[in-house]
Protein backbone atom coordinates (compact mmCIF):
# COMPACT_ATOMS: atom_id res chain seq x y z
CA UNK A 1 0.00 0.00 0.00
CA UNK A 2 1.35 3.41 -0.93
CA UNK A 3 1.11 6.29 1.55
CA UNK A 4 1.48 9.97 0.68
CA UNK A 5 1.96 12.14 3.77
CA UNK A 6 2.91 15.63 4.85
CA UNK A 7 2.65 17.89 7.87
CA UNK A 8 2.49 21.51 8.87
CA UNK A 9 2.42 23.66 11.98
CA UNK A 10 -0.17 26.42 11.87
CA UNK A 11 -1.07 29.43 13.93
CA UNK A 12 -4.71 30.42 13.33
CA UNK A 13 -6.79 33.41 14.36
CA UNK A 14 -9.91 35.30 13.39
CA UNK A 15 -8.33 38.60 14.48
CA UNK A 16 -4.54 38.31 14.12
CA UNK A 17 -3.41 38.25 10.48
CA UNK A 18 -0.64 36.06 9.11
CA UNK A 19 1.29 39.26 8.36
CA UNK A 20 1.08 40.30 12.00
CA UNK A 21 2.15 36.82 13.15
CA UNK A 22 5.12 37.04 10.77
CA UNK A 23 6.08 40.44 12.16
CA UNK A 24 5.77 39.32 15.77
CA UNK A 25 7.71 36.09 15.30
CA UNK A 26 10.28 37.47 12.86
CA UNK A 27 9.91 34.34 10.74
CA UNK A 28 8.43 33.97 7.27
CA UNK A 29 5.78 31.23 6.85
CA UNK A 30 5.70 28.77 3.97
CA UNK A 31 1.98 29.33 3.41
CA UNK A 32 -0.72 31.73 4.61
CA UNK A 33 -4.50 31.92 4.50
CA UNK A 34 -6.35 35.21 4.69
CA UNK A 35 -9.73 35.36 6.39
CA UNK A 36 -12.50 35.48 3.80
CA UNK A 37 -10.11 35.64 0.85
CA UNK A 38 -11.88 32.93 -1.17
CA UNK A 39 -15.46 33.98 -0.65
CA UNK A 40 -16.65 37.21 0.97
CA UNK A 41 -20.16 35.79 1.14
CA UNK A 42 -19.21 32.71 3.16
CA UNK A 43 -16.00 33.99 4.82
CA UNK A 44 -13.81 31.17 3.54
CA UNK A 45 -11.33 30.53 4.89
CA UNK A 46 -12.88 31.20 8.27
CA UNK A 47 -9.64 32.46 9.83
CA UNK A 48 -6.16 33.74 9.12
CA UNK A 49 -3.48 31.04 9.14
CA UNK A 50 0.32 31.16 9.25
CA UNK A 51 1.93 27.82 8.29
CA UNK A 52 5.31 26.15 8.29
CA UNK A 53 5.03 23.06 6.09
CA UNK A 54 7.01 20.02 5.07
CA UNK A 55 6.10 17.96 2.03
CA UNK A 56 8.41 15.25 0.82
CA UNK A 57 9.02 11.56 0.42
CA UNK A 58 10.62 11.00 3.83
CA UNK A 59 8.67 9.45 6.73
CA UNK A 60 6.17 11.82 8.34
CA UNK A 61 7.89 11.60 11.73
CA UNK A 62 11.06 12.95 10.07
CA UNK A 63 8.97 15.71 8.46
CA UNK A 64 7.53 16.61 11.87
CA UNK A 65 11.02 16.81 13.40
CA UNK A 66 12.07 19.11 10.56
CA UNK A 67 9.11 21.46 11.04
CA UNK A 68 9.56 21.62 14.82
CA UNK A 69 13.30 22.18 14.36
CA UNK A 70 12.62 25.15 12.09
CA UNK A 71 10.27 26.62 14.72
CA UNK A 72 12.73 26.30 17.63
CA UNK A 73 14.02 29.90 17.36
CA UNK A 74 10.48 31.34 17.66
CA UNK A 75 9.19 28.97 20.32
CA UNK A 76 8.64 31.66 23.01
CA UNK A 77 6.78 33.88 20.54
CA UNK A 78 4.46 31.02 19.59
CA UNK A 79 3.51 30.54 23.23
CA UNK A 80 2.91 34.26 23.67
CA UNK A 81 0.55 34.24 20.68
CA UNK A 82 -1.20 31.15 22.05
CA UNK A 83 -1.65 32.88 25.41
CA UNK A 84 -3.30 35.75 23.52
CA UNK A 85 -5.84 33.46 21.87
CA UNK A 86 -4.11 32.42 18.64
CA UNK A 87 -4.61 28.68 18.17
CA UNK A 88 -1.63 26.44 17.37
CA UNK A 89 -1.83 23.05 15.71
CA UNK A 90 0.51 20.42 14.31
CA UNK A 91 -1.39 18.91 11.39
CA UNK A 92 -0.46 15.51 9.96
CA UNK A 93 -2.13 14.45 6.70
CA UNK A 94 -1.87 10.94 5.27
CA UNK A 95 -3.38 9.45 2.11
CA UNK A 96 -3.41 5.65 1.85
CA UNK A 97 -3.40 3.95 -1.58
CA UNK A 98 -1.95 7.12 -3.14
CA UNK A 99 -0.32 6.61 -6.55
CA UNK A 100 2.71 8.74 -5.60
CA UNK A 101 3.14 7.46 -2.04
CA UNK A 102 5.89 5.55 -0.31
CA UNK A 103 5.74 2.50 1.92
CA UNK A 104 5.94 4.18 5.35
CA UNK A 105 2.99 3.24 7.58
CA UNK A 106 3.71 3.93 11.24
CA UNK A 107 4.98 7.13 12.79
CA UNK A 108 5.74 8.53 16.22
CA UNK A 109 6.34 11.76 18.12
CA UNK A 110 9.64 12.17 19.93
CA UNK A 111 9.76 13.52 23.49
CA UNK A 112 11.19 16.77 22.07
CA UNK A 113 8.21 17.20 19.73
CA UNK A 114 5.77 16.46 22.56
CA UNK A 115 7.55 19.00 24.77
CA UNK A 116 7.37 21.61 21.99
CA UNK A 117 3.63 21.02 21.46
CA UNK A 118 3.03 21.29 25.20
CA UNK A 119 5.05 24.50 25.54
CA UNK A 120 3.30 25.98 22.49
CA UNK A 121 -0.15 24.94 23.79
CA UNK A 122 -0.59 23.27 20.40
CA UNK A 123 -3.06 20.61 19.38
CA UNK A 124 -2.17 17.58 17.29
CA UNK A 125 -4.61 16.95 14.42
CA UNK A 126 -4.20 13.84 12.26
CA UNK A 127 -6.22 13.36 9.08
CA UNK A 128 -6.01 10.00 7.32
CA UNK A 129 -7.74 9.25 4.03
CA UNK A 130 -8.22 5.89 2.32
CA UNK A 131 -8.14 6.40 -1.46
CA UNK A 132 -8.70 2.75 -2.32
CA UNK A 133 -11.49 2.08 -4.76
Amino acid sequence: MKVHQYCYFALKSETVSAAEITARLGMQPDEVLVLGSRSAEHRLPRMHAWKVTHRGSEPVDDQIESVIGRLAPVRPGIRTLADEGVSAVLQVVRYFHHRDGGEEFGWHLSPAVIAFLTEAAAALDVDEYDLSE
Side-chain angles (χ1 to χ4, degrees), residues 8-14 16-18 21-22 24-25 27 29 31-33 47-52 71 74-75 77-82 85-90 116 120-122:
Y8 62 86
F9 183 87
L11 294 170
K12 301 177 181 182
S13 175
E14 291 184 8
V16 181
S17 71
I21 292 171
T22 299
R24 290 186 57 189
L25 293 179
M27 179 179 177
E31 300 175 18
V32 298
L33 293 177
M47 61 186 53
H48 300 289
W50 179 98
K51 299 180 182 182
V52 172
L71 292 167
V74 296
R75 193 176 191 162
I78 290 171
R79 181 54 193 242
T80 299
L81 287 164
V86 174
S87 65
V89 63
L90 174 63
F116 177 91

Side-chain angles (χ1 to χ4, degrees), residues 76-126:
I78 290 171
R79 181 54 193 242
T80 299
L81 287 164
D83 289 344
E84 295 172 5
V86 174
S87 65
V89 63
L90 174 63
Q91 182 76 48
V92 177
V93 182
R94 303 178 69 194
Y95 296 92
F96 297 94
H97 301 284
H98 191 278
R99 70 183 188 296
D100 299 327
E103 298 296 326
E104 299 292 331
F105 297 113
W107 59 281
H108 75 282
L109 298 177
S110 70
V113 169
I114 293 169
F116 177 91
L117 295 176
T118 300
E119 183 179 324
L124 172 63
D125 188 354
V126 179

